[in-house]
Amino acid sequence: MRKMLAAVSRVLSGASQKPFAGSPPPRHLTVGRKLSSRYEVTFESAQRHGLATLPSLVSISRLKQSSHLGLPKCWDYSHSLKTRQASRVLVASRNFANDATFEIKKCDLHRLEEGPPVTTVLTREDGLKYYRMMQTVRRMELKADQLYKQKIIRGFCHLCDGQEACCVGLEAGINPTDHLITAYRAHGFTFTRGLSVREILAELTGRKGGCAKGKGGSMHMYAKNFYGGNGIVGAQVPLGAGIALACKYNGKDEVCLTLYGDGAANQGQIFEAYNMAALWKLPCIFICENNRYGMGTSVERAAASTDYYKRGDFIPGLRVDGMDILCVREATRFAAAYCRSGKGPILMELQTYRYHGHSMSDPGVSYRTREEIQEVRSKSDPIMLLKDRMVNSNLASVEELKEIDVEVRKEIEDAAQFATADPEPPLEELGYHIYSSDPPFEVRGANQWIKFKSVS
Amino acid sequence: MAAVSGLVRRPLREVSGLLKRRFHWTAPAALQVTVRDAINQGMDEELERDEKVFLLGEEVAQYDGAYKVSRGLWKKYGDKRIIDTPISEAGLRPICEFMTFNFSMQAIDQVINSAAKTYYMSGGLQPVPIVFRGPNGASAGVAAQHSQCFAAWYGHCPGLKVVSPWNSEDAKGLIKSAIRDNNPVVVLENELMYGVPFEFPPEAQSKDFLIPIGKAKIERQGTHITVVSHSRPVGHCLEAAAVLSKEGVECEVINMRTIRPMDMETIEASVMKTNHLVTVEGGWPQFGVGAEICARIMEGPAFNFLDAPAVRVTGADVPMPYAKILEDNSIPQVKDIIFAIKKTLNI
């Protein structure tokens, strides 16, 4: 590593003093851009800024040798050489910003004196991470759509494309030790909470490599500190309040994010959960993912009050732009800090949109217009918003993001390949996992002579 | 532990539920404990043993429990461990008290869909060590909406364990086993039994006294007919057996203790010995506990030993009426059990 850096340093110090050999730097940068210029690469500076800046400073010839340095595979840029060479811009002379400050939409507040900040700093590293995660969720959901149409996925399949800023933004605002529970539109959260695309797709296809060994399906995926994946509308909200009770009981400063949709928001058990959470000051963040439609019913036709962030009444609330990942992240940080300080529950309404219908059996155009969907796609797509921000403030290049797209596509393809080829769970295991920690016993099959073994 | 209590219980079966004198380390006094106190004791011991156990329910804390089953616990363990919930029909080990199981219907979606099925749906990732307990079945004069028996409803569902204690020993041993079990367990108590005192054998006074879930108990040995029951009707069966004994009919009375998983082995072994079967329950007849026992007897080895069709004694197939004479005739009485036994034995 040091040797390579020394070599690069020698190369660069002899290079032209002009910062940009090719086109001039972009003009329209957002507020507060910090541009770092690095002509001398030292080990310390690389350490300080992390490997994220290293590729931008390493010459093309060094990139080919990147694999033997043990750099993460995603930094192997050799396949992008053609585009780079064509533009004749030395990678070594391209300097990305370390971070940039962005303005975000102010949240509407209910029973709160002040809300989350209206500006936020996004580092290049985080930006690339969020972009990759959102793109992965997007492509994973589209792949699930494809597999469903091929009848490789059966039953219920509720997709969340369009809502990527919610799952990635929420995860960005909490710790892995916090807890999250949601309803059936859960594939994105399953990923952001730590499971691989392989395990998720294989669960959708009902194979033994699935995260629930093929026994749960789309609506019943679980991970560490992620409690599903729940099929009964609204039932997860009292459960989430219960998890928050456990958080308080255990005293480790953890919070529980309890999600539900605009349709579930009118359910009675949600209000029971509000009552108990507020009464006992539970560290519960109630989150209404308002995507404007409860199945086929628009919010105006379903709710007497569509101010979902106010529906907690005595619980303070904020309404958040759910298509802007930075807005979601800041609001989540704010809400988590609120709960951790012991003030009790808080409510967040994320205004978001789903491109697909309610589920794969719903085309999604009988209760809304294609124009509406198209408008949201072109103006508010969360991935597009992040990409524009990053490119315009020189946090990343278009090519770089395209490379991430390619890598993500490959990852999804591999996962889909696995999910299609993996065998179904063995029939012998039909009776497994009825009880926990019990000795094996027999389970009756379709008639008295068919017996399955049940193992915990 | 199970071995020790097994050693103890076998000779206990020899005697009916009266004073049991045996070799002990301590000189046993004839200790009478009500079912209510037995449950209280069981919960107290488990709360002390494991700090992850806590109790929540309507009026369980400051009110000492609607039926005083949780009396004294709030004073001892405080707000964190004993929680009053407003009326509303992580890993911690909650004991969730329903004021009556009729109210559990408001929460039954959570019991079945969120508790019973979760370990299976998650492929073994997410266990749910929760206890749902409360009074079940008919009480006295509480009418239709407060008198239903839920043994068949909960017993229907894989993923749940369902127990139904009769006496104090059952109550304490089963609640402790339920709390220690890593699965959702429904404990169907009986309000009319709470105040009834029973002999408490010395081993039941131990803090580690457990009754295994899934094991029935033969309360009274007999040779002529097997009478299977659970909860309060077990007492009626024993009364009927005492009456019939004078007429020379010796009934073997089995206390199921567990509805799910049902101990068919004990029932089958008994039927193979006596050749006759009567089931007794408080719930409605259709799709009930007795129906399940009869179906399974037919499927097993004991069928060939039956000298007469099995007979069910159940609650009347009506919503529980209020007027005393109607209510009395809507639940199985001792005379109904005697009649059914005599019919089966053709005497």
Side-chain angles (χ1 to χ4, degrees):
Chain A
M1 175 75 90
R2 279 188 185 273
K3 263 212 231 161
M4 183 203 76
L5 285 170
V8 169
S9 193
R10 278 198 301 279
V11 168
L12 289 177
S13 57
S16 150
Q17 292 305 300
K18 269 212 212 136
F20 298 97
S23 48
R27 296 257 164 233
H28 50 278
L29 297 170
T30 45
V31 172
R33 156 181 65 89
K34 274 203 314 215
L35 183 65
S36 68
S37 69
R38 295 261 172 268
Y39 295 102
E40 291 202 64
V41 180
T42 62
F43 187 72
E44 288 71 30
S45 65
Q47 242 186 348
R48 211 181 323 129
H49 295 284
L51 281 174
T53 56
L54 196 56
S56 64
L57 306 168
V58 177
S59 69
I60 294 173
S61 58
R62 295 299 172 197
L63 283 171
K64 286 184 188 161
Q65 296 162 28
S66 62
S67 55
H68 82 272
L69 292 171
L71 285 169
K73 203 172 160 213
C74 58
W75 300 122
D76 179 6
Y77 281 61
S78 49
H79 57 269
S80 71
L81 287 179
K82 293 170 201 142
T83 44
R84 300 246 184 185
Q85 279 164 347
S87 66
R88 292 204 171 267
V89 175
L90 282 174
V91 173
S93 62
R94 180 66 190 260
N95 305 300
F96 289 113
N98 288 329
D99 53 49
T101 305
F102 297 102
E103 280 170 7
I104 53 178
K105 194 169 159 198
K106 187 174 186 308
C107 296
D108 295 322
L109 302 176
H110 170 69
R111 286 188 191 263
L112 282 168
E113 291 300 315
E114 36 177 67
V118 293
T119 60
T120 181
V121 174
L122 175 67
T123 66
R124 180 179 140 83
E125 190 182 339
D126 280 345
L128 289 170
K129 183 172 78 177
Y130 301 156
Y131 182 85
R132 179 180 291 266
M133 283 173 83
M134 288 205 286
Q135 194 66 276
T136 306
V137 173
R138 171 70 58 92
R139 297 245 64 93
M140 178 178 73
E141 295 294 78
L142 294 178
K143 177 56 70 177
D145 169 281
Q146 192 185 23
L147 291 171
Y148 194 92
K149 285 171 178 154
Q150 294 173 306
K151 297 198 198 292
I152 300 173
I153 296 178
R154 316 173 308 124
F156 288 130
C157 193
H158 306 85
L159 301 177
C160 68
D161 51 316
Q163 299 183 203
E164 295 85 358
C166 295
C167 51
V168 179
L170 285 171
E171 189 64 35
I174 55 172
N175 306 324
T177 45
D178 289 319
H179 308 263
L180 195 148
I181 186 170
T182 185
Y184 44 76
R185 204 173 300 282
H187 308 158
F189 291 102
T190 315
F191 174 72
T192 53
R193 282 263 93 190
L195 290 193
S196 67
V197 179
R198 267 165 84 99
E199 290 175 283
I200 297 172
L201 286 182
E203 186 58 37
L204 289 174
T205 56
R207 308 301 166 98
K208 69 176 175 54
C211 53
K213 305 185 176 68
K215 294 173 95 172
S218 168
M219 299 186 291
H220 307 295
M221 302 189 189
Y222 297 79
K224 188 161 197 311
N225 296 340
F226 175 58
Y227 306 87
N230 291 276
I232 307 294
V233 171
Q236 75 280 7
V237 178
L239 292 180
I243 298 165
L245 177 67
C247 289
K248 185 166 176 176
Y249 193 103
N250 289 325
K252 291 195 211 147
D253 258 354
E254 292 163 4
V255 299
C256 180
L257 273 56
T258 303
L259 285 96
Y260 54 96
D262 46 278
N266 302 313
Q267 271 229 336
Q269 55 188 323
I270 309 242
F271 294 89
E272 292 180 39
Y274 288 163
N275 182 42
M276 291 196 215
L279 198 58
W280 298 332
K281 290 202 164 28
L282 303 181
C284 187
I285 307 177
F286 293 103
I287 301 172
C288 178
E289 260 183 305
N290 176 8
N291 58 18
R292 304 196 217 166
Y293 298 93
M295 232 165 121
T297 308
S298 69
V299 293
E300 295 79 34
R301 291 203 303 130
S305 160
T306 54
D307 291 332
Y308 294 103
Y309 70 112
K310 291 187 186 167
R311 298 284 286 278
D313 188 10
F314 36 78
I315 298 182
L318 44 148
R319 181 155 57 190
V320 181
D321 179 1
M323 303 304 266
D324 176 357
I325 189 186
L326 297 179
C327 204
V328 175
R329 181 182 74 169
E330 283 314 306
T332 310
R333 283 177 176 166
F334 175 85
Y338 181 95
C339 283
R340 279 189 236 277
S341 67
K343 296 193 188 113
I346 190 169
L347 211 158
M348 271 168 57
E349 176 189 342
L350 302 178
Q351 291 190 305
T352 183
Y353 199 84
R354 52 167 163 81
Y355 297 143
H356 267 85
H358 165 72
S359 71
M360 285 305 298
S361 51
D362 169 27
V365 286
S366 58
Y367 48 87
R368 53 186 192 172
T369 60
R370 286 186 208 276
E371 288 75 40
E372 180 189 284
I373 306 172
Q374 202 37 50
E375 194 187 345
V376 176
R377 251 196 224 279
S378 56
K379 295 217 181 100
S380 317
D381 184 280
I383 300 178
M384 178 192 78
L385 289 178
L386 179 64
K387 179 177 172 181
D388 287 348
R389 271 187 168 146
M390 288 185 68
V391 167
N392 293 342
S393 46
N394 203 32
L395 287 175
S397 70
V398 172
E399 294 82 23
E400 195 176 5
L401 297 179
K402 277 210 178 84
E403 278 149 26
I404 294 181
D405 291 349
V406 171
E407 281 155 22
V408 165
R409 259 181 225 264
K410 179 152 194 319
E411 186 189 344
I412 305 298
E413 266 317 310
D414 287 346
Q417 186 55 34
F418 170 73
T420 319
D422 201 37
E424 285 188 297
L427 189 57
E428 299 77 57
E429 292 183 14
L430 184 144
Y432 283 23
H433 309 124
I434 293 188
Y435 294 133
S436 163
S437 328
D438 262 22
F441 64 99
E442 253 179 10
V443 167
R444 183 192 164 110
N447 61 43
Q448 70 201 62
W449 297 283
I450 300 175
K451 301 267 186 226
F452 293 100
K453 190 167 174 203
S454 183
V455 164
S456 278
Chain B
M1 185 55 243
V4 170
S5 50
L7 264 171
V8 163
R9 258 204 315 286
R10 236 181 295 122
L12 281 182
R13 274 197 219 122
E14 255 74 84
V15 192
S16 69
L18 299 175
L19 189 61
K20 293 154 183 134
R21 267 202 187 277
R22 300 186 61 248
F23 273 125
H24 299 292
W25 314 281
T26 55
L31 180 65
Q32 295 254 340
V33 177
T34 62
V35 172
R36 170 187 292 117
D37 290 341
I39 302 172
N40 184 289
Q41 224 180 80
M43 289 198 291
D44 190 357
E45 286 168 11
E46 293 307 302
L47 282 158
E48 194 174 332
R49 178 180 172 269
D50 182 356
E51 59 169 26
K52 296 233 171 287
V53 176
F54 69 101
L55 170 68
L56 76 171
E58 290 177 81
E59 312 298 352
V60 295
Q62 298 188 20
Y63 197 77
D64 274 339
Y67 299 102
K68 305 299 175 221
V69 178
S70 55
R71 176 172 44 209
L73 295 180
W74 175 68
K75 276 212 184 72
K76 185 169 173 185
Y77 295 100
D79 284 331
K80 184 178 175 190
R81 311 283 303 282
I82 312 291
I83 304 174
D84 269 330
T85 55
I87 295 184
S88 235
E89 294 189 313
L92 295 184
R93 307 183 72 92
I95 308 169
C96 177
E97 174 173 309
F98 289 118
M99 198 181 278
T100 85
F101 265 97
N102 300 282
F103 305 155
S104 78
M105 284 203 281
Q106 304 252 308
I108 201 168
D109 168 60
Q110 299 286 1
V111 177
I112 309 298
N113 282 321
S114 302
K117 298 179 184 171
T118 297
Y119 193 66
Y120 187 86
M121 289 193 301
S122 66
L125 287 181
Q126 186 63 64
V128 183
I130 188 169
V131 172
F132 300 101
R133 52 159 291 270
N136 175 61
S139 183
V142 292
Q145 291 182 347
H146 289 72
S147 306
Q148 187 172 336
C149 174
F150 288 85
W153 282 36
Y154 288 118
H156 189 55
C157 302
L160 277 186
K161 295 189 183 179
V162 182
V163 298
S164 182
W166 165 55
N167 62 8
S168 307
E169 189 187 331
D170 290 356
K172 181 172 174 185
L174 288 173
I175 190 78
K176 285 168 77 71
S177 293
I179 294 168
R180 294 192 196 190
D181 200 306
N182 285 336
N183 297 287
V185 184
V186 171
V187 182
L188 302 170
E189 299 158 7
N190 188 296
E191 199 252 316
L192 294 172
M193 298 303 293
Y194 281 150
V196 179
F198 288 91
E199 291 298 331
F200 219 49
E203 54 277 1
Q205 294 168 43
S206 146
K207 286 201 171 156
D208 281 313
F209 172 65
L210 300 171
I211 288 181
I213 296 178
K215 207 80 193 72
K217 182 185 177 191
I218 300 181
E219 296 285 351
R220 183 188 195 282
Q221 290 275 351
T223 49
H224 297 121
I225 185 165
T226 301
V227 183
V228 182
S229 185
H230 72 95
S231 190
R232 186 157 177 263
V234 172
H236 299 325
C237 293
L238 289 169
E239 279 182 61
V243 169
L244 285 166
S245 178
K246 298 196 188 89
E247 298 175 35
V249 177
E250 292 305 322
C251 303
E252 180 146 292
V253 177
I254 299 181
N255 172 8
M256 288 174 71
R257 285 178 161 179
T258 302
I259 305 291
R260 183 175 188 118
M262 200 185 289
D263 182 3
M264 269 321 282
E265 276 173 17
T266 303
I267 300 175
E268 276 172 343
S270 175
V271 170
M272 282 155 79
K273 184 175 80 170
T274 67
N275 312 125
H276 298 85
L277 174 61
V278 166
T279 69
V280 183
E281 68 197 284
W284 293 318
Q286 294 200 35
F287 310 96
V289 174
E292 177 66 16
I293 295 173
C294 291
R296 288 214 215 173
I297 286 288
M298 279 217 294
E299 291 174 352
F303 173 72
N304 292 313
F305 290 75
L306 280 176
D307 287 344
V311 162
R312 299 174 293 163
V313 179
T314 68
D317 203 10
V318 295
M320 183 65 72
Y322 170 65
K324 187 152 191 346
I325 184 173
L326 299 180
E327 186 183 57
D328 286 347
N329 283 280
S330 298
I331 52 169
Q333 301 173 70
V334 178
K335 64 172 174 65
D336 302 317
I337 302 172
I338 294 173
F339 183 85
I341 292 172
K342 284 186 168 174
K343 261 315 230 179
T344 312
L345 292 170
N346 209 14
I347 51 177

